[in-house]
Structure formats: C-alpha cells, structure tokens
Amino acid sequence: MKPFIETHIVELLKARDERAIGLLYDHYADALYGVAIKVMKDEVLAQDVLQEAFVKIWKNADRYDPDKARLFTWLFRVVQNTAIDAVRSRQRKTSKEIQTQDSNVYHIPTTQLAIEHLDLKAHTDGLEDKYKVVIDALFFQGMTQQEASDELNIPLGTVKSRLKIGLRELRKLFGMVVVFLML
C-alpha cells in the first residue's frame, strides 16, 4: 500500500472518522481475513473474529504508533491476537462442558441403597441454609464447584468448606451411605 493512503487512514482513525473503517476494510480485509482463517480454521468463526478485530481497531485507534510498526503490522497483530483469544476461549468452554476424565462419582450398586436414601434433596432440609444452598448447587443443579462459586457469588474456598461441613452434617444425620452417594 502506498504510504500516503496508509497515513490518510491513520489520520482518519485518530480523528474518529468513520470513513477510516471503510478504507481499512477495502485495503486490508482480505489479508486480515486470511490471518483469521489460518488461526480459526473455520470460515464463519474467522468472519466473527475479523468483525471483533475491526471493533477493537476502532476502539483502540489511539494506541497505534507509526514509529513502532507499520499500520498493516499493527492490524495483523490485533486480528491474530483476537483469533488466538477466540480459540483459547472455545477450548476453555469445551473443557468445562465435558469433564468425564475427572469424574468423582462413585458407582454404588443399587442393592446397597436403602429406599430412604434415594430422596436426598428432602433430607438436606435439616442443614443450615448456607450448606443447603451449596449442596443444592453442586448435586441437584449439576454445577461444578467453580460454577457454584460464580453463581452464588461466594469464594471457591468457601464453597469447598461449606460442602465439606454440609456432608459431615448429613453423615451425622443419616449415616455413611449418604456421604458415599454424594462424593
């Protein structure tokens, strides 16, 4: 690209002139889309990343310093970093959704269960509310400890402590079988 056009685009960006986005798109979109595709390996996701990157470019135009990098280099880095962040975010979400390898569920044959232990939710009524809420979130709503911490707006360590104390109280009330069911 000619230095004059690049300088003009930078001036428009810094002045918050919306024509800058059109010029950026006209002159750089194809190359930047290629960067997004290379990282994302999916056309639709790459389009989303490119759009998100253009928003970041617009919002952070004042951070561009022509003494540190050419405009394309800066744009390239914004798109590449946005794509990498999107990939990492998808990986974290996927790993949170399925946790089969780290399962802490014990398989107990149903012949060992007494009928009164099958309705555990009714038995948690004997617990203090702070323990009942944590046990309900973890065992009856299927949340992980981190999800319960976020949802209940209490620290993760507090969730773990309340779970431990709640299980201990259930053990006192109903015996050891309940604890094995809930581990």
Side-chain angles (χ1 to χ4, degrees), residues 100-131:
T100 56
Q101 294 175 342
D102 298 329
S103 177
N104 60 356
V105 176
Y106 293 95
H107 299 284
I108 301 173
T110 55
T111 56
Q112 293 181 4
L113 298 176
I115 193 69
E116 66 269 10
H117 295 116
L118 293 178
D119 190 12
L120 292 176
K121 190 163 185 158
H123 294 303
T124 60
D125 290 338
L127 296 175
E128 289 182 50
D129 283 342
K130 62 184 179 180
Y131 307 123

Side-chain angles (χ1 to χ4, degrees), residues 13-14 16 56-64 74:
L13 271 173
K14 295 210 182 236
R16 293 287 195 218
K56 285 181 181 180
I57 290 164
W58 177 254
K59 287 182 178 179
N60 298 303
D62 56 327
R63 292 186 182 179
Y64 171 65
W74 183 69

Side-chain angles (χ1 to χ4, degrees), residues 36-72:
I37 284 259
K38 189 171 184 175
V39 175
M40 299 304 298
K41 298 185 183 3
D42 180 288
E43 290 182 15
V44 174
L45 295 175
Q47 291 169 1
D48 291 344
V49 163
L50 186 61
Q51 181 177 351
E52 185 179 339
F54 269 99
V55 170
K56 285 181 181 180
I57 290 164
W58 177 254
K59 287 182 178 179
N60 298 303
D62 56 327
R63 292 186 182 179
Y64 171 65
D65 184 355
D67 294 331
K68 291 184 178 177
R70 295 195 59 199
L71 180 61
F72 179 75

